[in-house]
Amino acid sequence: MLSNTLWAALAVFGGLVNAGYPPDVVDKLAKNSMSKVKDWLAKNPQGECNLKTAIVRKEWSDLNKKQQKEYISAVLCLQSKPSKMSAEAPGAKSRFDDYVVVHVQQTMRNHGSTFFLPWHRLYLWHYENALRTECGYTGYQPYWNWDRYAKDPINSPLFDGSDTSMSGNGVFVPHAGVTIPTAPPPFDVIPPAEGGGCVTTGPFQNMSVNLGPLAPSLTDIKPNPQPDGLGYNPRCLRRDVNRNSAAVTTANYTYDLITNNKNMYWFQTTMEGQFPEGKWGVHSGGHYTVGGDPAGDFFVSPGDPVFWLHHAMIDRVWWIWQIQDLAKRLEDVSLTMTMMNMPPSRNGTLQDENNLGTLYGDVLTKDLMSTLGGMGGKLCYIYE
């Protein structure tokens, strides 16, 4: 048997960076569930989409350094291209900003509602496609396996500030932490961590955050010139990478989320969080692991490039949950048409429409349920 030292040496020689991350219980569940996917595809062929043709989305540290740098370059490219939505959002200066605009416009519709998971699947696919078609990216959207870095996120390959990271933490600025008004003590305050200021290391240290804030988690952010948050408000990227928040994203929480919730209502509700009961979800835990501005802002969080890796993990967890019982769960939708049913609205259905505003037209929820053949075959991917 090879020693850990030799395995590490071989990994470095081969260009890999994941030698220190053995499969966790969620990884093992996903791998052991692939036989169910094969059986389902045998009974329900999806045209040209199958396990041989499906693209594979991988974890950040399972990419080699060249692949990581290519992804980073594509994101920087998207940030350099002019906006297509500046007429409706004067603060949007880049194609990257366009995706923040869409999220701002639809935040109150696509969270705590029937649209949360299918809409974000469409959103993620469209962003991935933009990186590939507009910026020459040859890979696919990576995800952030929260468990790998939960104990020490600041020193992880994602946040260590190296040229193959998504940039580092913010400089330390004394602050009070994040208050969650709907949660009871002691869950209503996330203690501050070691950042809070501008990000000064890594590929995104010079990026400009142009939109928002609307629901800032820091108190010293200059207000947006427009009440809708879509005016031009340039400032630095700020983070407060926080292990207190990361503690609720370890693999045991994700595994329990997948295996203990048998219908969409409880799966999604548990994932998003039940703050009145003091129960965080992995969705909120991941966002607040990054914190700062804009990642700590409910509306403009896609303005931090790490958002996309977080939501790829959200989509991966949904995918793993779905493949436990594809026949049933590809048709399982829940909740209403409005966030937390405010104002009261009807239950969502598979026939409801999702869109990305002016970026992309209507797609029925039923066409976003499967990653293998959804949207007439445009969705054809799995997670590794």
Side-chain angles (χ1 to χ4, degrees):
M1 180 177 294
L2 291 173
S3 68
N4 290 338
T5 301
L6 185 53
W7 273 120
L10 288 172
V12 171
F13 181 77
L16 299 176
V17 292
N18 68 325
Y21 301 104
D24 61 42
V25 290
V26 178
D27 299 331
K28 293 175 182 177
L29 176 62
K31 182 177 180 179
N32 293 337
S33 300
M34 289 307 295
S35 60
K36 298 178 181 180
V37 179
K38 293 177 183 178
D39 290 344
W40 181 81
L41 282 171
K43 298 174 183 176
N44 303 275
Q46 299 296 302
E48 295 182 1
C49 181
N50 53 60
L51 291 179
K52 291 183 178 180
T53 60
I55 67 172
V56 180
R57 290 179 177 169
K58 299 184 178 183
E59 210 279 333
W60 181 251
S61 54
D62 289 344
L63 303 179
N64 63 40
K65 292 183 182 296
K66 180 180 179 181
Q67 292 168 329
Q68 290 171 334
K69 288 182 178 180
E70 187 193 3
Y71 177 79
I72 291 165
S73 294
V75 176
L76 290 169
C77 164
L78 209 62
Q79 292 179 347
S80 72
K81 290 185 174 292
S83 167
K84 294 182 179 180
M85 301 184 73
S86 56
E88 58 191 284
K93 301 302 179 182
S94 69
R95 289 286 291 119
F96 183 84
D97 287 343
D98 289 348
Y99 290 92
V100 184
V101 173
V102 171
H103 195 269
V104 169
Q105 291 172 332
Q106 299 197 31
T107 290
M108 299 302 289
R109 180 182 187 266
N110 296 325
H111 298 80
S113 74
T114 192
F115 301 108
F116 174 65
L117 289 167
W119 183 86
H120 280 89
R121 179 169 283 175
L122 173 65
Y123 188 49
L124 193 67
W125 167 81
H126 197 274
Y127 179 81
E128 175 186 64
N129 193 56
L131 294 176
R132 289 174 54 80
T133 60
E134 298 179 41
C135 289
Y137 179 50
T138 61
Y140 301 98
Q141 177 60 48
Y143 65 92
W144 161 18
N145 184 337
W146 311 304
D147 183 78
R148 290 189 177 186
Y149 320 131
K151 291 182 179 179
D152 189 15
I154 292 175
N155 294 307
S156 72
L158 203 59
F159 296 113
D160 65 9
S162 66
D163 62 355
T164 55
S165 72
M166 296 302 291
S167 273
N169 196 15
V171 298
F172 177 69
V173 173
H175 58 290
V178 177
T179 299
I180 304 174
T182 58
F187 306 101
D188 58 334
V189 176
I190 305 170
E194 300 167 23
C198 296
V199 170
T200 60
T201 58
F204 300 103
Q205 61 182 289
N206 296 317
M207 73 167 278
S208 176
V209 177
N210 296 324
L211 298 156
L214 280 167
S217 61
L218 299 172
T219 59
D220 60 343
I221 304 170
K222 60 181 179 179
N224 195 277
Q226 294 185 189
D228 62 3
L230 298 180
Y232 185 44
N233 191 27
R235 56 200 188 277
C236 68
L237 173 68
R238 296 173 64 177
R239 286 179 181 158
D240 187 35
V241 178
N242 196 316
R243 62 167 54 91
N244 296 299
S245 302
V248 302
T249 65
T250 51
N252 57 302
Y253 288 103
T254 307
Y255 183 83
D256 288 348
L257 168 67
I258 295 168
T259 59
N260 290 342
N261 297 284
K262 305 303 181 184
N263 60 58
M264 183 63 139
Y265 174 83
W266 281 112
F267 174 73
Q268 182 177 325
T269 299
T270 304
M271 171 183 274
E272 289 198 81
Q274 298 164 271
F275 287 106
E277 290 79 34
K279 297 178 180 179
W280 284 39
V282 293
H283 172 247
S284 300
H287 279 297
Y288 287 124
T289 294
V290 188
D293 173 49
D297 188 312
F298 186 51
F299 292 83
V300 295
S301 54
D304 189 313
V306 83
F307 169 97
W308 301 94
L309 286 83
H310 173 51
H311 265 274
M313 180 64 174
I314 290 290
D315 188 66
R316 177 187 183 235
V317 172
W318 182 29
W319 171 75
I320 297 171
W321 182 80
Q322 286 183 305
I323 65 177
Q324 304 311 303
D325 187 355
L326 280 164
K328 178 181 178 181
R329 295 180 181 180
L330 289 180
E331 297 183 354
D332 194 355
V333 295
S334 188
L335 301 172
T336 66
M337 304 283 285
T338 49
M339 186 170 69
M340 299 179 69
N341 199 32
M342 295 186 296
S345 58
R346 67 170 174 82
N347 290 335
T349 73
L350 290 169
Q351 301 303 315
D352 293 321
E353 294 175 340
N354 304 259
N355 66 70
L356 302 179
T358 57
L359 292 185
Y360 202 79
D362 291 332
V363 180
L364 296 181
T365 294
K366 71 179 182 68
D367 292 324
L368 296 166
M369 297 299 286
S370 177
T371 71
L372 290 168
M375 291 179 64
K378 291 180 180 178
L379 298 183
C380 186
Y381 67 89
I382 62 173
Y383 287 93
E384 186 176 85

